């Protein structure tokens, strides 16, 4: 059936009934008269004693019903109206006229900034509509809630919605923090250096302004939750008083479809993080269209958050609706509100007051009569709640005063609010960057900005910014509000408490080796960390973060001493209480245990690793994850951690493609160093021995928090002396070997830069070689013992003298080589700098064979810097379940494959007997996976 001409189809009530909780739908009403009496009684209670008393009575009845086994379903959604009744709204304390004025200036300047960046010679993009629709949500916070770092509480942490960044710049311009020249540098970070604004909240690009990167959807919600937890962690461990600090996260309703956005809500509820407030800007739109065209995203989110244990506050309608809702005695208006899907609400705001009268209020005779005395302009002026200062203020105040649960505020807004009919509520509004002259003038008129037509007509792409001057009464008021709240927001400060790094003796355990016992590098690392955590000056600042694999890594030894952080302690009788290494939780626990939850672990790592700036208290997170489940699973979060300038250590335990034996394809890590190499802030090391780990950790701590750590602490990139905002990634293994003691005259500089000579070539009598074919074998991590065994076989079976180099970092060697090439490129006529890898192998004339337990692309990173014949061995392809010996023979990166590859390169130069390769393949049964002998069976996966 077609709709009547001139009228659009809208969803019928029965088609959207799933939007509400079906409290009565499944039960018959056997006595409607009695039902009506109960409802009348409730109405009388509300009328006489208010909603607060009615809430108490209703909750008491529900509690009693449960005790009497009356099946009352959980109310997951409420009617599509404001959560806070009018009689419970907190009184708005500000000067609404002043705030309205400069909010208009900010909305104008934000839009003009993006528009000016679209002129033909620039065209760098930007987003106009997000802030236009969310300005009220932010401004209520700025004027009354967001506390700066000079506030006695220590200040709040605010995670701004990424696409709303133009509004934050516009406010900073009002505050005198930014100039017009700065605004014109939007998204031109190199060409307008010194006056540049990053596209979104990027602390690494604007290290004194932004604190938290949020524009990668879903990461903001996760990080905000763990920031709130980190605040409590600092409090409970006695490091800093954070008891009066709030965390605010501004999110989009479309963003809440990201699994990361919702996937960690339980942590906030379980730990009663009532210092956390989500504000979800429900403009009902994704980037391309409605979030829930056939449904209601606010109702869905209400149910989801309520079910997750959060306090939910809906801000649906502005004050203009109050009288209409009060007059809605038979519930006809609320029924229409409940049943109208979001797709229709979006359409209403793209049309007119007359359209709303016909298609919304015209759904029933009662509601049509309600607005009979209102003209179309008045109907159009019925605002959504997210644009009403008083409604938003009441919600924020209720959220900050609520105890025991985190709060989510669902605020209904219009995307592109005030930008005119070409923008408001349109599906394409997110991608629209430019305003026509008609749009500009209408927007100016709507905001009442004192700019003339002549000023606008002068240049479509250079409409003027507006500032009334710092002496204007509204700007004085703005500055007074910020002064009272403790200074500007956002602001990042890099000064922190001075620290004393661990004493040299704390590293002794790494230097001693394992003696007659065998120990995997995972265990060598854990033993070192245990001693570092005992350091009386610095030990308490380490924050181990382990996602439910502590026993796998041998870290259960930390349980009884350092304990696992739990703000509620341990209120149960532990099943393993009689064991020496019993599971022990405590509010003062040092270990963060996020469970089987790598995403949460990186969020916890980020919060701890930026505490030096957020709270002025350095913490050193040590995130230990299983195999490839770090960079492969959470690479985007590590990128955000780099943007936030996180400092800490990432430990890829049980690393390597062939060490996990039985675990198989989705566990066998053969590529994490390549993934890590894409992050400029990550320094990747693949140590073979405990003493190497000790030097790397010590150097990392000195780089992050040594005497010169803050002189150039906010340089971009990494791998340079000036950048201290780095994350060290160490791959360690679960394969036990005899850990050697630290050699005398160890080339520590080479170890830290990425390569040092571990073993000279032997001869039969143990002296240096002469007049024999030579080779250099470069190995890292678990493959170093294989290379040493290959060295022996080459000498004994083939009379080949091979030197062994331990490559602690293929990635850092590549960065150094590329830097040398760049220097030569940009400094013609000057002596070229030799890459460090080239320098270390200087004088070596034989072939170079590189071997790792990773794909060949890892050692191939340095191929261009080695003039010798070069070959790499690795483990390309998917991993699988088998013995280590069989897996290494299959991938041809085992001891005998090293020997054979060396012979191949030497044969090509005529330096070994003809047919040596064929003989080696036959002698060592290289094509038989059952003939492999490299590695042992020890070490649990």
């Amino acid at each position: 059936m077609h709709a009547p001409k001139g009228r659009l189809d809208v969803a019928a009530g029965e088609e959207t009934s799933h939007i509400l909780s079906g409290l009565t739908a499944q039960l018959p009403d056997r006595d409607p008269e009695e039902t009506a009496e109960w409802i009348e009684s409730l109405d009388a209670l509300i009328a006489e004693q208010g909603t607060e008393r009615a809430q108490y009575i209703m909750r008491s009845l529900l509690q009693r019903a449960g005790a009497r086994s009356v099946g009352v379903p959980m109310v997951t959604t409420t009617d599509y109206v404001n959560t806070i009744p009018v009689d419970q709204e907190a009184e708005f304390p500000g000067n609404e006229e002043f705030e309205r004025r400069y909010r208009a200036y900010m909305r104008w300047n934000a839009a003009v900034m993006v528009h000016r960046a679209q002129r033909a010679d620039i065209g760098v993009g930007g987003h106009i509509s997000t802030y236009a629709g969310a300005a009220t949500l932010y401004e209520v916070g700025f004027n009354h809630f967001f506390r700066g770092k000079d506030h006695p509480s220590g200040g709040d942490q605010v995670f701004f919605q990424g696409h709303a960044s133009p509004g934050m710049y516009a406010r900073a311009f009002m505050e005198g923090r930014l100039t017009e020249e700065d605004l014109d540098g939007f998204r031109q970070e190199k060409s307008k250096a010194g006056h540049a604004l990053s596209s979104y909240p990027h602390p690494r690009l604007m290290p004194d302004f932004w604190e938290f990167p949020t524009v990668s959807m879903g990461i903001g919600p996760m990080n905000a939750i763990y920031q709130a937890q980190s605040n409590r962690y600092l409090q409970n461990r006695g490091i800093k008083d954070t008891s009066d600090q709030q965390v605010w996260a501004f999110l989009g309703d479309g963003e809440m479809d990201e699994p990361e956005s919702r996937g960690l809500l339980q942590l906030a509820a379980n730990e009663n993080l009532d210092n956390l407030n989500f504000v979800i800007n429900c403009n009902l739109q994704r980037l391309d269209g409605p979030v829930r065209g056939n449904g209601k995203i606010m109702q869905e989110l209400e149910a989801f958050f309520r079910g997750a244990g959060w306090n939910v506050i809906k801000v649906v309608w502005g004050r203009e609706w109050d009288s209409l809702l009060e007059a809605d005695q038979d519930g006809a208006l609320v029924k229409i509100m409940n049943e109208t899907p979001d797709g229709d609400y979006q359409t209403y705001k793209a049309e007119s007051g007359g359209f709303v009268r016909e298609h919304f209020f015209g759904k029933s005779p009662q509601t049509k009569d309600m607005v009979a005395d209102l003209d179309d302009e008045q109907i159009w002026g019925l605002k959504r709640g997210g644009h009403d200062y008083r409604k938003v203020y009441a919600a924020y105040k209720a959220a900050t005063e609520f105890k025991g649960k985190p709060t989510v505020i669902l605020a209904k807004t219009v995307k592109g609010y005030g930008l005119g009919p070409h923008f408001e509520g349109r599906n394409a509004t997110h991608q629209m960057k430019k305003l026509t002259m008609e749009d500009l003038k209408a927007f100016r008129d709507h905001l009442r900005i004192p700019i003339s037509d002549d000023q606008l007509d002068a240049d479509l792409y250079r409409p003027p910014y507006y500032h009334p001057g710092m002496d204007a009464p509204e700007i004085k008021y703005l500055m007074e509000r910020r002064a009272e709240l403790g200074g500007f927001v956002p602001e990042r400060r890099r000064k922190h408490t001075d620290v004393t790094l661990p004493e040299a003796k704390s590293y002794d355990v790494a230097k001693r080796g394992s003696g007659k016992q065998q120990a995997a590098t995972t265990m060598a690392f854990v033993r070192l960390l245990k001693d570092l955590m005992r350091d009386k000056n610095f030990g308490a600042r380490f924050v181990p973060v382990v996602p439910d694999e502590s026993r796998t890594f041998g870290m259960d030894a930390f349980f009884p001493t350092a304990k696992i952080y739990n703000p509620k302690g341990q209120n149960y009788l532990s099943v393993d209480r009689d064991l020496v290494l019993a599971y022990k939780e405590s509010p003062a626990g040092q270990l963060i245990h996020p469970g089987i939850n790598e995403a949460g672990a990186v969020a916890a790592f980020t919060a701890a690793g930026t505490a030096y700036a957020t709270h002025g208290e350095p913490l050193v997170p040590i995130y230990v994850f299983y195999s490839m489940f770090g960079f492969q699973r959470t690479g985007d979060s590590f990128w955000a951690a780099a943007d936030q300038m996180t400092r800490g250590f990432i430990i890829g335990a049980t690393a390597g493609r062939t060490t996990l034996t039985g675990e198989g394809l989705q566990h066998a890590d053969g590529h994490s160093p390549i993934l890590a190499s894409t992050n400029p802030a990550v320094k990747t090391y693949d140590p073979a021995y405990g003493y190497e780990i000790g030097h790397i950790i010590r150097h990392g701590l000195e780089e992050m928090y040594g005497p010169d750590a803050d002189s150039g602490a906010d340089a971009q990139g990494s791998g340079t002396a000036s950048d201290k905002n780095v994350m060290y990634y160490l791959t360690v293994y679960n394969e036990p070997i005899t850990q050697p003691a630290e050699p005398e005259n160890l080339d520590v500089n080479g170890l830290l830069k990425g390569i040092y000579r571990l073993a000279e070539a032997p001869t039969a009598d143990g002296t240096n070689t002469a007049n024999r074919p030579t080779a250099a074998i470069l190995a890292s991590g678990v493959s170093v013992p294989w290379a040493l065994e290959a060295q022996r076989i080459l000498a004994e079976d083939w009379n080949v003298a091979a030197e062994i180099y331990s490559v602690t970092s293929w990635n850092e060697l590549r960065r150094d080589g590329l830097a040398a090439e760049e220097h030569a490129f940009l400094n013609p006529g000057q002596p070229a700098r030799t890459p460090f890898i080239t320098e270390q192998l200087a004088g070596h004339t034989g072939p170079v064979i590189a071997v790792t337990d990773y794909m060949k692309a890892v050692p191939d990173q340095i191929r261009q810097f080695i003039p010798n014949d070069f070959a790499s061995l690795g483990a390309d392809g998917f991993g699988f379940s088998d013995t280590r010996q069989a897996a290494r023979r299959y991938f041809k990166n085992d001891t005998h494959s090293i020997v054979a590859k060396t012979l191949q390169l030497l044969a090509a130069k005529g330096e070994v007997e003809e047919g040596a390769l064929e003989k080696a393949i036959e002698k060592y049964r290289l094509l038989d996976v059952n003939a492999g002998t490299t590695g042992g069976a020890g070490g649990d996966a």
Side-chain angles (χ1 to χ4, degrees), residues 52 82 167 184 235 262 270 286 311 324 363 372 385 395 418 471 607 664 703 800 869 871 897:
E52 186 175 359
N82 295 342
D184 277 344
Q235 173 81 22
R262 305 196 197 188
N270 291 344
R286 295 174 177 162
N311 175 43
L324 294 175
K363 288 181 178 181
D471 290 333
E703 187 169 8
V800 171
D869 293 336
S897 297

Side-chain angles (χ1 to χ4, degrees), residues 150-201:
D150 292 328
H151 191 274
S153 68
D156 296 342
Q157 289 87 48
V158 185
F159 290 71
F160 294 97
Q161 194 176 1
H163 291 128
S165 61
M168 309 312 118
Y169 295 140
R171 170 168 261 272
F173 175 59
M174 288 288 107
E175 296 167 336
R177 302 168 68 193
L178 297 177
T179 65
E180 290 192 13
E181 188 176 0
D182 295 328
L183 297 187
D184 277 344
F186 179 60
R187 290 191 166 192
Q188 299 152 74
E189 295 166 36
K190 301 302 180 186
S191 58
K192 297 288 178 66
H195 295 280
L197 302 180
S198 62
S199 55
Y200 304 123

Side-chain angles (χ1 to χ4, degrees), residues 493-515:
R493 296 182 183 176
R494 56 189 92 176
K495 182 175 176 55
H496 58 71
T497 300
D498 291 333
V499 294
T500 302
L501 294 179
E503 298 177 357
K505 67 179 181 180
S506 298
Y507 299 90
D508 287 348
V509 67
K511 297 182 177 184
R512 288 197 295 265
S514 60

Side-chain angles (χ1 to χ4, degrees), residues 661-704:
T661 59
E663 290 295 289
L665 187 147
Q666 290 199 23
H667 290 67
D669 175 18
H671 51 281
S672 68
I674 291 294
L675 299 178
S677 74
T678 64
N679 192 318
V682 174
K683 291 190 169 185
T684 302
Y685 285 88
D686 187 27
Y689 299 126
Y691 67 81
E692 294 180 350
I693 294 172
H695 283 288
I696 294 165
I697 296 289
R698 185 174 186 178
H699 180 71
L701 287 173
E702 290 173 349
E703 187 169 8
M704 296 170 198

Side-chain angles (χ1 to χ4, degrees), residues 47 115 228 272 277 369 520 526 652 682 800 878:
H115 178 76
N272 305 116
N277 310 288
D369 288 343
V526 169
V682 174
V800 171
F878 290 112

Side-chain angles (χ1 to χ4, degrees), residues 241-259:
D241 181 1
T242 62
S243 58
D244 195 28
Q245 292 183 280
Q246 295 274 327
V247 176
W248 297 83
F250 285 80
L251 316 168
D253 49 358
E255 178 180 5
M256 298 312 293
D257 279 349
E258 288 281 9

